[in-house]
């Protein structure tokens, strides 16, 4: 057990080094009882930048909260269950993370997933607009390409929309690209950096391996294989779990990494850059994932795409029609509700 005494502080330092000036921060996890929500809640409980952790779900939160509250970290965890307690969970939050909804299952179409999760996200965002309208919102619920536009339209209706504070968390795409590239080239994944742009589903996920650091030459075949594996990473996990789950642990890790970066930036840490899906003018699509400089006000600067090779330029152009269709589906869902 001695290794845990070293491992936990090391993990915490890895998540929160260069945190800026620490301030009390309340973070809510909406969907805390689910497959992503539970490990994400665990990781947020161990983050020293979090002082209050609000755990909400429609069921199961008393047990999750009791379990997590025994962890010896600074954050105070409190559970909330059911619609009647949602307002209390959100009151005073600085950051709201939303993994709520159903996971993708074998045979489930994107439309099936959309029909279920769109209503869930809409209801949660309506409550956010009333109870913590200035909070930053990190969207995890799929399909992110549509749920982020849903959130924006809900906030617009309520008069609380701030495009700098709404993020689609696409960090898992970056995590996968780094891992697969490092494995293919014999590198340490922790030393690898790769921007991933576009969206957060299938071919809208576009890893820019030409901008990887360290930069290692890829053949056309290697680039295609690594790109496709990154795009199909979710399907790979769904199939490996034989229909009994989706990418929950890696998604929770990725969301915790993004949340940590955002909290650091909110506290004033300089030069915090993450790829994330935000309202953007980089392309024809109203929302687009790219490198974003984070700061105290949220998304402070959307960085240029940089030099692209023809393969990447074509991939972006191919992705845009599907991405814009998904965005419009989210907008229409709220307008027609």
């Amino acid at each position: 057990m001695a290794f845990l005494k070293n491992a936990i502080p090391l993990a915490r330092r890895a998540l929160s080094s260069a945190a800026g000036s620490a301030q009390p921060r309340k973070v809510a996890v909406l969907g805390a009882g689910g497959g992503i929500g539970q490990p994400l809640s665990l990781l947020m409980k161990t983050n020293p930048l979090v002082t209050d952790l609000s755990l909400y779900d429609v069921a199961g939160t008393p047990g999750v909260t009791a379990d997590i509250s025994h962890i010896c970290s600074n954050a105070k965890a409190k559970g909330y269950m059911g619609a009647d307690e949602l307002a209390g969970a959100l009151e005073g939050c600085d950051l709201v993370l939303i993994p709520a909804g159903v996971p993708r299952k074998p045979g489930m179409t994107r439309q099936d997933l959309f029909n279920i999760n769109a209503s869930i996200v809409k209801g949660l965002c309506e409550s956010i607009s009333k109870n913590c309208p200035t909070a930053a919102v990190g969207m995890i619920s799929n399909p992110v390409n549509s749920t982020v536009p849903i959130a924006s339209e809900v906030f617009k209706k309520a008069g609380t929309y701030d495009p700098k504070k709404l993020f689609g968390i696409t960090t898992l795409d970056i995590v996968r690209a780094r891992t697969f590239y490092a494995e293919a080239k014999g590198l340490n994944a922790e030393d690898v950096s790769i921007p991933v742009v576009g969206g957060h589903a299938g071919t809208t996920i576009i890893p820019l391996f030409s901008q990887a650091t360290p930069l290692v030459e890829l053949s056309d075949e290697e680039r295609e294989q690594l790109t496709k594996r990154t795009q199909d990473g979710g399907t790979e996990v769904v199939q490996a779990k034989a229909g009994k789950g989706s990418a929950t642990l890696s998604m929770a890790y990725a969301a915790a990494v993004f949340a940590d970066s955002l909290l650091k930036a909110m506290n004033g840490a300089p030069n915090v850059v993450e790829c994330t899906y935000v309202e953007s003018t980089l392309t024809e699509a109203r929302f687009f994932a790219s490198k974003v400089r984070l700061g105290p006000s949220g998304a402070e600067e959307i960085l240029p795409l940089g030099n692209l090779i023809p393969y990447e330029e074509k991939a972006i152009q191919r992705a845009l029609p599907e991405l814009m269709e998904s965005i419009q589906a989210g907008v229409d869902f709220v307008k027609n509700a």
Side-chain angles (χ1 to χ4, degrees), residues 153-168:
E153 293 303 307
V154 170
F155 296 150
K156 280 182 180 179
K157 275 192 172 183
T160 63
Y161 180 50
D162 182 350
K164 291 185 176 182
K165 291 193 172 181
L166 176 60
F167 305 91

Side-chain angles (χ1 to χ4, degrees), residues 85 170 287:
E85 297 187 3
T170 60
F287 292 90

